[in-house]
Amino acid sequence: MIPFYLPLLAGALIHETTASTAAGPAACTNLTTKLGSSKVVSSQLNLQYIESLEYWNTLQDAYKPSCVVYPASAQDVSTALQAIRTADSRFAIKAGGHNPNTFFSSVDAGVLLDMSKMTAKSYDPDTTLATYEPGGVFGDLYEYYVQYNRTVVGARLAGVGTGLALGGGMSYLSPQYGLACDSFRELEIVLPSGEIVTASESSHPDLFFASRGGGGNAYGVVTKYTVQSRPIGELYAGNVIYAFPQKDTVIEAIGNFIKYNTDPKAAIIGTYEKLPTPDLNLNLDEAIIMFLVYDGPDSGAAFDNFTSIPHLLNTLSIKTYPEVVNMPIPLSTELSRGANIFRVGVHRPENNSYSTALDKWRSWAESNKGKYELLSLDFQPVPRSLTDASKSQGGNAMQMPDGPWFWLNYLITTPPGMSEADYNAVQESYRDLVAGTGNAEGLPLFINDANVDQDPLSSFSTFERLKGIKKVYDPDNFFVEKTGGWSFE
Ligand SMILES: Cc1cc2nc3c(=O)[nH]c(=O)nc-3n(C[C@H](O)[C@H](O)[C@H](O)COP(=O)(O)OP(=O)(O)OC[C@H]3O[C@@H](n4cnc5c(N)ncnc54)[C@H](O)[C@@H]3O)c2cc1C
Ligand SMILES: *[C@@H]1O[C@H](CO)[C@@H](O)[C@H](O)[C@H]1NC(C)=O
Ligand SMILES: *[C@@H]1O[C@H](CO)[C@@H](O)[C@H](O)[C@H]1NC(C)=O
Ligand SMILES: *[C@@H]1O[C@H](CO)[C@@H](O)[C@H](O)[C@H]1NC(C)=O
Ligand SMILES: *[C@@H]1O[C@H](CO)[C@@H](O)[C@H](O)[C@H]1NC(C)=O
C-alpha cells in the first residue's frame, strides 16, 4: 500500500544525485544483455518488480528503480556492480527490506539488487557450522535448521531479513551466544571493485571485523554467511500484557532484570505502546507488552518479577523456536508495515535511567496525540553474559563494553494524510525527545535501530579503525556516492 501523501514527501526524501537520469537505464540495458531477462526486470507492471518494492517503512515503496536485478550467485553480483559502476548509476542492496532508513535498501532511478533469489542453506553435523545466503528471512532459516535441532543467532521476529546480522543482530539467544554477527565464522563478500573474496579471522581480517556489526552496504555485498550454529529445543516463552496503570511496577521489574538477572537463558523485550485514540479514562490507548523467552522448558524464577504483577493476559507456555519468533501473533511484522521510523538510545541502568526515559517518552506521547498512528518504546537488555560471549568469539565491530546496559528502540508510525510540513515537524520533535534523553558516555548506539541522522558509527570506540577499513575496500567512494547508508565522515 502506497500512502497517498507520498508525492508531498518525495521532495524531502529524495537525495541529490550525481548520476545522470540516463545512468540507471544504461546499467539495466547492459545487465539485461549480460545476465538475461529472467534476472533483470525493468517493467514496473511486472509482478516480481512490484513485490520487490515492499518495505517495512512503506514510505519507501514509492521509489521506482530503473530495474530490479535478482542475482543467483556472487558472480552475478560482481557483474552487476561492475556494470553499475561503468554506467555511473545509483543502486541499493535489498535483503529483507526492514531497515526504515530511506535509500539504505531502496533506490529511485537506479539499480535495485534484490537478493531474494539467493536462499541456499546448509548444515554440517561434523563441524556444526551452518551456511546461508542473504535472501529470505530469519523465520525461513529457523524452520530449516530446526530439523537438526539447531538454529542460528538471528532476528526475534520471523519476517526480518539477513541484513540484521550485518548490523549486529540482537536475538533471544544473544545473552548466551552474543549478537548474530558474533557467530560469523566466514563471509563471502563481493567488494565494490567486483572482486569476490572470503573474509574470516585469517583472510581479510579487517573486512571480517568491520562486517561484524559495522554496517551492511558499506564494504561490499555479502553473498554467503558461514556461522556457528547453536542447539535449540523447547523454549518456555510468551507475552505478558499489562494495563498502563502498572507502568511503574513493570518498569521497576525491567530495571531489576537489566541489573540483576544472571541467567543467560532468560531474555526479554519490554514494550510500551501508545495509540493515538483519546484516552477517555479507559486506558485503551496504552499497553505494555513483555516478550519473555527462556531457552529451555523450565524458566525457574527468571520471570517471576513479571508474572507476579497483575496482568491482562499471559501466554507463557512451551513453544518451538519458530513459534517464539511469531509472537505475539503470526505475521505480526507484516501487519506492522507503515510509515515507520526508528531511533535508538543507549543507557546504563543507573539513577533510574529506564524510568526517566519512559516518563519523557510518555509525556511526549501525551502532548503529541493525533500526530502518530503508533508509538512504541522497547527496552532491550545487554547483559554481561552477552558482552562476554561476544568477546570470547573475537569481539565485533562495536567492541562492546561490559554489560549490563540497555538499548532503547523508539518507533514512530505516522498517519496517512500528513502534509510534508507536519511530517517533518513531528519527526524533528521525536528526534529532539530522543536526543534530550541523553545517551550514556562510552556505549555504542545500535545501528539496527538507529536513524541515519543519529550517526551511530561515530559512537563506536572503533570508529577511526572502521573509517580506515572503509577507505581500503571502497577506495574511490563508489558505495559512498552511489548508495545510501551510514556516514564514515
Ligand atoms: C519488525 C522489525 C523487527 C526487528 N527485530 C530485530 C531484532 O530482533 N534484532 C535486531 O538486531 N534488529 C531487529 N530489527 C532491526 C533490523 O535488524 C534492521 O532493520 C535491519 O537493517 C533489517 O535487515 P533486512 O535485511 O530486513 O533489511 P534491508 O533493509 O534489506 O537491509 C538492511 C541494510 O543492510 C544492507 N544489506 C542487507 N543485506 C546485505 C548484504 N548481503 N550485503 C551488504 N549489505 C546488505 C542493506 O543495503 C541495508 O542497508 C527489526 C526491525 C523490524 C522492522
Ligand atoms: C557494460 O558493463 C561493462 C562492465 O561490466 C563495461 O565494460 C561495458 O562498457 C558496459 N557497456 C555499456 C554499454 O555500458
Ligand atoms: C531432535 O530432538 C528430538 C527430541 O529430543 C529427537 O527425538 C530427535 O531425534 C532429534 N533429531 C535430531 C536430528 O537429532
Ligand atoms: C527481581 O527483583 C528483585 C528486586 O525486587 C531483585 O532482587 C531480583 O534480582 C530480580 N530478579 C530478576 C531475575 O530480575
Ligand atoms: C548517577 O548519579 C550520580 C550522583 O548524582 C552521578 O555521579 C552519576 O554520574 C550518575 N550516573 C549517570 C549515568 O548519569
Side-chain angles (χ1 to χ4, degrees), residues 242-248 271-274 283 285-288 312 358 361-362:
Y242 308 88
F244 229 74
Q246 296 296 346
K247 74 179 180 64
D248 294 326
T271 310
Y272 287 75
E273 314 258 352
K274 197 92 173 130
N283 296 303
D285 66 328
E286 304 184 289
I288 309 168
L312 304 173
L358 175 62
W361 172 81
R362 189 162 180 266

Side-chain angles (χ1 to χ4, degrees), residues 252-262 301-306:
E252 203 54 41
I254 293 173
N256 283 329
F257 186 91
I258 295 170
K259 285 188 278 197
Y260 305 124
N261 175 60
T262 52
F303 301 138
D304 288 0
N305 285 348
F306 297 105

Side-chain angles (χ1 to χ4, degrees), residues 146-149:
V146 86
Q147 66 181 300
Y148 305 105
N149 293 333

Side-chain angles (χ1 to χ4, degrees), residues 151-315:
T151 196
V152 293
V153 182
R156 292 164 299 187
L157 281 174
V160 186
T162 55
L164 166 140
L166 296 174
M170 179 68 110
S171 158
Y172 289 125
L173 306 178
S174 289
Q176 292 178 80
Y177 307 121
L179 299 182
C181 66
D182 290 318
S183 288
F184 288 175
R185 294 297 176 264
E186 194 174 286
L187 300 172
E188 179 183 70
I189 304 183
V190 184
L191 300 181
S193 65
E195 189 190 346
I196 302 168
V197 301
T198 297
S200 68
E201 298 268 6
S202 54
S203 163
H204 297 281
D206 53 349
L207 178 62
F208 187 62
F209 170 82
S211 303
R212 291 175 110 176
N217 51 348
Y219 320 97
V221 183
V222 177
T223 45
K224 186 177 168 190
Y225 299 81
T226 302
V227 305
Q228 178 58 59
S229 73
R230 308 295 178 178
I232 200 78
E234 292 179 328
L235 298 94
Y236 188 70
N239 296 106
V240 178
I241 302 185
Y242 308 88
F244 229 74
Q246 296 296 346
K247 74 179 180 64
D248 294 326
T249 40
V250 176
I251 196 67
E252 203 54 41
I254 293 173
N256 283 329
F257 186 91
I258 295 170
K259 285 188 278 197
Y260 305 124
N261 175 60
T262 52
D263 184 342
K265 290 182 183 289
I268 67 164
I269 317 175
T271 310
Y272 287 75
E273 314 258 352
K274 197 92 173 130
L275 298 167
T277 46
D279 183 355
L280 305 175
N281 291 325
L282 294 169
N283 296 303
L284 293 178
D285 66 328
E286 304 184 289
I288 309 168
I289 308 176
M290 290 302 306
F291 290 73
L292 306 176
V293 175
Y294 196 85
D295 183 12
D298 180 0
S299 65
F303 301 138
D304 288 0
N305 285 348
F306 297 105
T307 50
S308 61
I309 300 170
H311 46 266
L312 304 173
L313 187 72
N314 175 346
T315 68

